[in-house]
Amino acid sequence: MATSADAAAIAAVLRDFQAEYEEFAPEQDWWAGRIAALMDAGDSAVLLVETGADELPVGVAYLRFRPSLYQDAPEASLAELYVRPDLRGQGLGRRLLTAAMDHAVDRGATSMDLSTTSADTAAVALYESMGFDRHERSGPDVTAYSFEIDLRAPSQQAPAAG
Protein backbone atom coordinates (compact mmCIF):
# COMPACT_ATOMS: atom_id res chain seq x y z
CA MET A 1 0.00 0.00 0.00
CA ALA A 2 1.38 3.37 -0.98
CA THR A 3 1.54 6.34 1.35
CA SER A 4 1.45 10.05 0.64
CA ALA A 5 5.27 9.93 0.64
CA ASP A 6 4.95 7.98 -2.65
CA ALA A 7 2.88 10.72 -4.30
CA ALA A 8 5.62 11.90 -6.69
CA ALA A 9 6.18 8.34 -7.95
CA ILE A 10 2.43 7.81 -8.29
CA ALA A 11 2.07 11.04 -10.27
CA ALA A 12 4.93 9.97 -12.55
CA VAL A 13 3.24 6.64 -13.34
CA LEU A 14 -0.10 8.36 -13.91
CA ARG A 15 1.59 10.87 -16.24
CA ASP A 16 2.83 7.93 -18.34
CA PHE A 17 -0.73 6.60 -18.39
CA GLN A 18 -2.15 9.94 -19.53
CA ALA A 19 0.56 10.30 -22.18
CA GLU A 20 -0.10 6.82 -23.57
CA TYR A 21 -3.75 7.69 -24.14
CA GLU A 22 -2.98 11.29 -25.17
CA GLU A 23 -4.96 12.69 -22.25
CA PHE A 24 -4.33 15.79 -20.17
CA ALA A 25 -2.07 15.40 -17.12
CA PRO A 26 -1.62 18.13 -14.51
CA GLU A 27 1.81 19.59 -13.79
CA GLN A 28 3.91 16.98 -11.95
CA ASP A 29 4.52 18.80 -8.64
CA TRP A 30 0.92 20.01 -8.36
CA TRP A 31 -0.40 16.53 -9.12
CA ALA A 32 1.89 14.91 -6.55
CA GLY A 33 0.67 17.40 -3.95
CA ARG A 34 -2.95 16.71 -4.85
CA ILE A 35 -2.45 12.95 -4.64
CA ALA A 36 -0.73 13.29 -1.25
CA ALA A 37 -3.53 15.48 0.09
CA LEU A 38 -6.23 13.06 -1.08
CA MET A 39 -4.40 10.10 0.43
CA ASP A 40 -3.86 11.92 3.72
CA ALA A 41 -7.58 12.78 3.84
CA GLY A 42 -8.32 9.04 3.86
CA ASP A 43 -10.75 8.93 0.95
CA SER A 44 -8.18 7.54 -1.49
CA ALA A 45 -5.88 4.53 -1.49
CA VAL A 46 -3.14 3.65 -3.94
CA LEU A 47 -1.59 0.26 -4.59
CA LEU A 48 1.66 0.00 -6.52
CA VAL A 49 3.53 -2.72 -8.38
CA GLU A 50 7.29 -2.35 -8.29
CA THR A 51 9.72 -4.52 -10.23
CA GLY A 52 13.44 -4.49 -10.73
CA ALA A 53 16.30 -3.18 -8.66
CA ASP A 54 15.26 0.48 -8.87
CA GLU A 55 11.97 -0.26 -7.02
CA LEU A 56 10.17 2.35 -9.11
CA PRO A 57 6.45 1.72 -9.62
CA VAL A 58 5.50 0.17 -12.94
CA GLY A 59 1.81 -0.11 -12.16
CA VAL A 60 -0.78 1.69 -10.08
CA ALA A 61 -4.32 1.15 -8.84
CA TYR A 62 -5.96 4.32 -7.53
CA LEU A 63 -9.11 3.84 -5.43
CA ARG A 64 -11.57 6.42 -4.14
CA PHE A 65 -14.06 5.75 -1.38
CA ARG A 66 -17.35 7.55 -0.83
CA PRO A 67 -20.32 7.14 1.50
CA SER A 68 -23.25 5.22 0.09
CA LEU A 69 -26.72 6.70 -0.03
CA TYR A 70 -28.29 3.25 0.23
CA GLN A 71 -26.33 1.46 2.94
CA ASP A 72 -24.02 2.06 5.85
CA ALA A 73 -20.91 1.00 3.93
CA PRO A 74 -18.57 2.86 1.62
CA GLU A 75 -18.61 2.47 -2.15
CA ALA A 76 -15.29 2.01 -3.89
CA SER A 77 -14.43 3.50 -7.26
CA LEU A 78 -11.37 2.36 -9.19
CA ALA A 79 -10.29 5.69 -10.66
CA GLU A 80 -7.15 4.41 -12.39
CA LEU A 81 -5.52 1.06 -13.14
CA TYR A 82 -2.34 1.15 -15.16
CA VAL A 83 0.64 -1.06 -15.95
CA ARG A 84 3.53 0.07 -18.14
CA PRO A 85 3.03 -1.24 -21.70
CA ASP A 86 6.31 -3.19 -21.80
CA LEU A 87 5.25 -5.20 -18.73
CA ARG A 88 1.70 -6.05 -19.76
CA GLY A 89 0.68 -9.64 -20.28
CA GLN A 90 2.45 -10.82 -17.12
CA GLY A 91 -0.56 -10.72 -14.80
CA LEU A 92 0.40 -7.44 -13.09
CA GLY A 93 -2.92 -5.75 -13.93
CA ARG A 94 -4.87 -8.73 -12.58
CA ARG A 95 -2.71 -8.69 -9.44
CA LEU A 96 -3.36 -4.97 -8.95
CA LEU A 97 -7.10 -5.33 -9.55
CA THR A 98 -7.34 -8.27 -7.13
CA ALA A 99 -5.41 -6.32 -4.48
CA ALA A 100 -7.65 -3.28 -5.05
CA MET A 101 -10.79 -5.38 -4.63
CA ASP A 102 -9.37 -6.99 -1.47
CA HIS A 103 -8.46 -3.58 -0.05
CA ALA A 104 -11.95 -2.28 -0.79
CA VAL A 105 -13.48 -5.23 1.07
CA ASP A 106 -11.08 -4.64 3.98
CA ARG A 107 -12.34 -1.05 4.16
CA GLY A 108 -15.92 -2.28 4.29
CA ALA A 109 -16.95 -1.51 0.71
CA THR A 110 -19.69 -3.69 -0.72
CA SER A 111 -19.29 -2.61 -4.33
CA MET A 112 -16.74 -1.21 -6.74
CA ASP A 113 -17.25 0.67 -9.96
CA LEU A 114 -14.96 1.89 -12.72
CA SER A 115 -15.11 3.15 -16.27
CA THR A 116 -13.13 2.78 -19.48
CA THR A 117 -13.79 2.89 -23.20
CA SER A 118 -14.07 0.34 -25.97
CA ALA A 119 -10.61 1.44 -27.13
CA ASP A 120 -8.97 -0.24 -24.12
CA THR A 121 -9.75 -3.81 -25.10
CA ALA A 122 -7.25 -5.34 -22.65
CA ALA A 123 -8.86 -3.54 -19.70
CA VAL A 124 -12.36 -4.52 -20.84
CA ALA A 125 -11.27 -8.17 -21.04
CA LEU A 126 -9.65 -7.99 -17.60
CA TYR A 127 -12.69 -6.45 -15.92
CA GLU A 128 -15.07 -8.93 -17.50
CA SER A 129 -12.82 -11.87 -16.58
CA MET A 130 -12.86 -10.69 -12.95
CA GLY A 131 -16.68 -10.72 -12.82
CA PHE A 132 -17.49 -7.04 -13.34
CA ASP A 133 -20.84 -6.30 -15.01
CA ARG A 134 -20.51 -4.07 -18.08
CA HIS A 135 -22.87 -1.25 -19.00
CA GLU A 136 -22.29 0.78 -22.15
CA ARG A 137 -23.07 4.20 -23.55
CA SER A 138 -22.26 4.89 -27.19
CA GLY A 139 -20.98 8.17 -28.51
CA PRO A 140 -20.02 9.34 -31.99
CA ASP A 141 -16.40 8.11 -31.82
CA VAL A 142 -16.18 5.66 -28.94
CA THR A 143 -18.29 3.53 -26.66
CA ALA A 144 -17.91 4.30 -22.97
CA TYR A 145 -18.16 1.38 -20.58
CA SER A 146 -18.93 1.47 -16.90
CA PHE A 147 -18.36 -1.63 -14.83
CA GLU A 148 -19.51 -2.66 -11.38
CA ILE A 149 -19.12 -5.62 -9.08
CA ASP A 150 -20.74 -6.63 -5.83
CA LEU A 151 -17.88 -7.34 -3.42
CA ARG A 152 -20.02 -9.15 -0.86
CA ALA A 153 -20.07 -12.90 -0.58
CA PRO A 154 -23.37 -14.32 -1.93
CA SER A 155 -24.55 -15.09 1.62
CA GLN A 156 -24.06 -11.44 2.61
CA GLN A 157 -25.96 -9.88 -0.25
CA ALA A 158 -29.17 -8.07 0.54
CA PRO A 159 -32.31 -9.57 -1.00
CA ALA A 160 -33.61 -7.85 -4.11
CA ALA A 161 -36.39 -5.36 -3.54
CA GLY A 162 -39.64 -6.56 -4.93
Side-chain angles (χ1 to χ4, degrees), residues 94-127:
R94 181 173 301 277
R95 195 167 99 200
L96 269 172
L97 182 55
T98 299
M101 292 167 67
D102 289 345
H103 181 74
V105 168
D106 290 347
R107 291 219 14 197
T110 59
S111 65
M112 179 183 287
D113 61 57
L114 60 93
S115 61
T116 191
T117 68
S118 56
D120 196 348
T121 56
V124 169
L126 173 63
Y127 302 140

Side-chain angles (χ1 to χ4, degrees), residues 54-94:
D54 60 10
E55 295 186 16
L56 294 175
V58 297
V60 62
Y62 188 98
L63 286 162
R64 294 185 311 227
F65 294 90
R66 62 187 179 267
S68 172
L69 177 62
Y70 301 103
Q71 57 188 335
D72 189 21
E75 298 171 336
S77 180
L78 183 65
E80 304 292 356
L81 180 73
Y82 177 73
V83 173
R84 262 187 15 208
D86 60 317
L87 295 172
R88 292 181 188 153
Q90 300 178 27
L92 297 176
R94 181 173 301 277

Side-chain angles (χ1 to χ4, degrees), residues 35 120 150:
I35 290 167
D120 196 348
D150 190 327

Side-chain angles (χ1 to χ4, degrees), residues 2 12-13 16 19 24 31 38 41 44 61 63 70 77 89-90 131 133 138 144 155:
V13 174
D16 290 345
F24 167 78
W31 208 3
L38 291 170
S44 297
L63 286 162
Y70 301 103
S77 180
Q90 300 178 27
D133 294 321
S138 294
S155 63

